[in-house]
């Protein structure tokens, strides 16, 4: 197990209506902010609720919500230029992963003089980043607390990784009420995606006792949200359980690492604009079956926490029941169970495997894998 170094960062505020106190928290980091929104929040009226808290505290701000379905380096350059022209003190970002990644990139590069593409091609930032305040509106974001930010290179549609300080996010405000705009199917798919990320972090060679502890608790909370609690004493609402599980999983992923399903979902989304939640969910049971070959004991632990396997099950049996559990939930949600149902050819998916093999993330997978190994996983799920 990897050595563990614990630093108290970032500050995390999690609970119902915590976003209504955003202005109170933000004033600690400055008086002038760029607020980056997911466009969906404007349509649902959620953005106005978030802005009211900032307005009530008398903070100066302007908004940026020109985030397309897939935000690439061109969008980041636009947002970065606006932030520099306004001489902001910090960035507030509210939305899903793509919105928060744009904000992370803007904060990281704000004081740099080189071009964005130099950093996309491997240059390491050296200046102090702007303070970042994140308001996640989905239940998962694997990169929220990581020292890397995924960028979609507009020149090639490939994923590039921008190095950032792991203390970049100064404050994360998790308000379960902000997930109200998500459909029931979206919440179900994101629940499985979060569970997939948690499983990958649990199997990672970079796992620590701290990340394992977080994963085991997050899996229990996600289980309660998906299947109901074993006793009537657990009365926590589903949206709060999922937010708690998602937050713990993001923290664990930052101290451990993501795995092959999440990595492939990232590169497939970059090239072909397919939902990451959908792709990682399809790959999830095949990830479990692959992991059972070398870490069946850890998969058995998660299976028993999920109540997918009896407590007295053998490790290999519990791992198999874990994969069956995921497939049952996929069928229940009535979403594609095979990659071929995404209207992508196997040749196209091979490009995503090659892209994944070119990223640094491939060096931290649960077992040593090449792009060929990732393509084998794709073929199994195709």
């Amino acid at each position: 197990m990897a050595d563990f170094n614990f630093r108290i960062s970032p500050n995390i505020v999690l609970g119902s209506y915590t976003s209504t106190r955003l202005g109170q928290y933000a004033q600690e980091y400055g008086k002038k902010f760029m607020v980056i929104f997911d466009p969906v929040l404007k349509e649902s009226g959620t953005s106005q609720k978030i802005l009211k808290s900032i307005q009530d505290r008398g903070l100066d701000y302007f908004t940026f919500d020109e985030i397309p379905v897939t935000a690439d380096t061109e969008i980041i350059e636009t947002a970065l230029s606006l932030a520099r022209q306004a001489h902001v003190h910090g960035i507030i970002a509210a939305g899903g992963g793509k919105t928060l990644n744009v904000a992370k990139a803007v904060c990281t590069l704000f004081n740099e003089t080189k071009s964005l593409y130099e950093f996309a091609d491997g240059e390491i930032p050296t200046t102090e980043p702007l303070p970042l305040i994140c308001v996640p509106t989905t239940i998962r974001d694997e990169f929220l607390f990581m020292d890397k930010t995924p960028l979609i290179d507009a020149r090639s549609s490939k994923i590039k990784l921008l190095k950032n300080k792991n203390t970049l996010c100064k404050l994360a405000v998790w308000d379960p009420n902000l997930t109200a705009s998500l459909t029931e199917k979206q919440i179900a798919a994101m629940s499985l995606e979060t569970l997939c990320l948690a499983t990958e972090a649990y199997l990672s060679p970079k796992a620590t006792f701290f990340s394992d502890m977080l994963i085991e608790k997050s899996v229990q909370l996600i289980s309660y949200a998906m299947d109901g609690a074993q006793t009537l004493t657990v009365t926590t609402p589903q949206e709060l359980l999922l937010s708690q599980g998602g937050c713990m999983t993001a923290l664990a992923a930052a101290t451990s690492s993501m795995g092959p399903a999440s990595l492939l979902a990232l590169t497939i989304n970059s090239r072909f604009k397919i939902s990451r939640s959908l792709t990682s969910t399809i790959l999830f049971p095949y990830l479990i079956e692959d992991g059972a070959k070398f870490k069946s004991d850890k998969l058995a632990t998660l299976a028993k926490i999920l109540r997918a396997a009896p407590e007295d099950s053998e490790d290999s049996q519990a791992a198999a029941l874990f994969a069956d559990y995921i497939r049952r939930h996929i069928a229940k949600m009535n979403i594609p169970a095979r990659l071929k149902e995404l209207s992508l050819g196997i040749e196209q998916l091979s490009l995503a495997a090659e892209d994944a093999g070119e990223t640094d993330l491939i060096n931290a997978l649960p077992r040593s894998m090449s792009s060929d190994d990732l393509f084998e996983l794709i073929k199994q799920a195709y």
Side-chain angles (χ1 to χ4, degrees):
M1 183 172 283
D3 292 341
F4 170 64
N5 296 300
F6 184 60
R7 298 179 178 83
I8 308 297
S9 180
N11 294 318
I12 298 174
V13 180
L14 193 157
S16 296
Y17 303 107
T18 49
S19 60
T20 62
R21 300 173 64 190
L22 180 60
Q24 173 189 340
Y25 305 135
Q27 62 185 355
E28 179 180 341
Y29 302 98
K31 297 293 183 183
K32 190 175 186 180
F33 293 90
M34 178 181 188
V35 184
I36 302 179
F37 275 125
D38 188 317
V40 173
L41 300 184
K42 186 175 182 180
E43 296 168 11
S44 65
T46 304
S47 60
Q48 287 305 312
K49 296 176 183 177
I50 294 173
L51 289 176
K52 188 175 186 310
S53 175
I54 300 172
Q55 294 164 351
D56 289 346
R57 290 290 173 175
L59 300 179
D60 190 9
Y61 72 91
F62 73 97
T63 62
F64 178 79
D65 61 2
E66 298 172 22
I67 310 292
V69 174
T70 304
D72 60 21
T73 47
E74 290 183 353
I75 295 299
I76 293 171
E77 282 194 310
T78 300
L80 181 58
S81 176
L82 291 171
R84 285 170 172 166
Q85 291 172 24
H87 302 287
V88 295
H89 301 156
I91 304 290
I92 298 172
K98 63 182 179 182
T99 303
L100 302 186
N101 286 335
V102 168
K104 285 182 67 181
V106 171
C107 287
T108 298
L109 301 178
F110 184 82
N111 291 311
E112 297 290 341
T113 56
K114 296 179 180 179
S115 76
L116 165 60
Y117 289 100
E118 290 181 79
F119 295 102
D121 290 335
E123 192 77 25
I124 298 176
T126 58
T127 60
E128 192 65 23
L130 280 183
L132 172 63
I133 299 172
C134 289
V135 187
T137 59
T138 61
I139 62 173
R140 56 84 180 103
D141 183 357
E142 60 266 49
F143 288 99
L144 181 58
F145 305 127
M146 279 192 186
D147 61 356
K148 300 177 182 67
T149 302
L151 310 177
I152 299 176
D153 193 330
R155 301 168 299 182
S156 63
S157 292
K158 289 185 177 182
I159 277 291
K160 298 293 183 69
L161 295 173
L162 172 66
K163 182 72 175 176
N164 59 256
K165 293 189 176 181
N166 56 9
T167 56
L168 175 63
C169 178
K170 298 299 184 184
L171 172 68
V173 179
W174 293 73
D175 185 345
N177 297 298
L178 298 182
T179 64
S181 60
L182 299 175
T183 66
E184 186 175 339
K185 183 173 286 190
Q186 284 176 320
I187 291 174
M190 287 182 187
S191 299
L192 285 183
E193 181 188 11
T194 306
L195 191 56
C196 178
L197 178 62
T199 302
E200 292 175 329
Y202 201 61
L203 298 179
S204 171
K206 294 178 65 178
T208 66
F209 81 91
F210 180 71
S211 65
D212 280 359
M213 176 185 68
L214 286 173
I215 290 303
E216 289 171 9
K217 185 61 179 178
S218 69
V219 167
Q220 181 187 55
L221 294 171
I222 294 168
S223 169
Y224 290 164
M226 292 173 61
D227 304 318
Q230 291 173 294
T231 70
L232 296 176
T233 58
V234 180
T235 58
T236 309
Q238 181 197 43
E239 64 271 15
L240 182 54
L241 289 169
L242 290 174
S243 291
Q244 291 171 344
C247 179
M248 289 184 180
T249 300
L251 283 169
T255 60
S256 181
S257 67
M258 59 195 291
S262 296
L263 176 54
L264 287 170
L266 190 67
T267 56
I268 291 171
N269 172 262
S270 175
R271 273 197 179 268
F272 307 113
K273 319 309 183 236
I274 303 293
S275 163
R276 288 187 294 121
S277 295
L278 184 57
T279 308
S280 60
T281 297
I282 293 171
L283 290 166
F284 192 6
Y286 302 95
L287 165 78
I288 295 170
E289 290 168 348
D290 182 72
K293 299 172 186 175
F294 60 94
K295 286 193 176 177
S296 60
D297 57 331
K298 298 200 80 170
L299 287 169
T301 299
L302 295 186
K304 292 169 185 178
I305 293 173
L306 280 167
R307 294 164 288 161
E311 287 294 330
D312 59 353
S313 300
E314 295 290 335
D315 289 350
S316 58
Q317 180 190 20
L321 290 171
F322 189 2
D324 289 344
Y325 170 88
I326 300 304
R327 289 191 170 101
R328 287 198 305 274
H329 273 279
I330 290 173
K332 183 180 178 181
M333 293 187 321
N334 194 29
I335 63 173
R338 291 280 184 174
L339 293 175
K340 63 183 176 183
E341 298 176 57
L342 302 181
S343 300
L344 293 176
I346 194 71
E347 300 83 3
Q348 292 173 294
L349 291 171
S350 70
L351 294 174
E354 290 174 20
D355 292 348
E358 294 174 3
T359 71
D360 292 340
L361 294 172
I362 199 168
N363 298 320
L365 298 183
R367 68 176 177 88
S368 178
M369 298 182 81
S370 65
S371 58
D372 290 339
D373 296 316
L374 291 174
F375 187 52
E376 283 299 317
L377 186 64
I378 286 174
K379 287 194 293 185
Q380 290 173 30
Y382 193 75

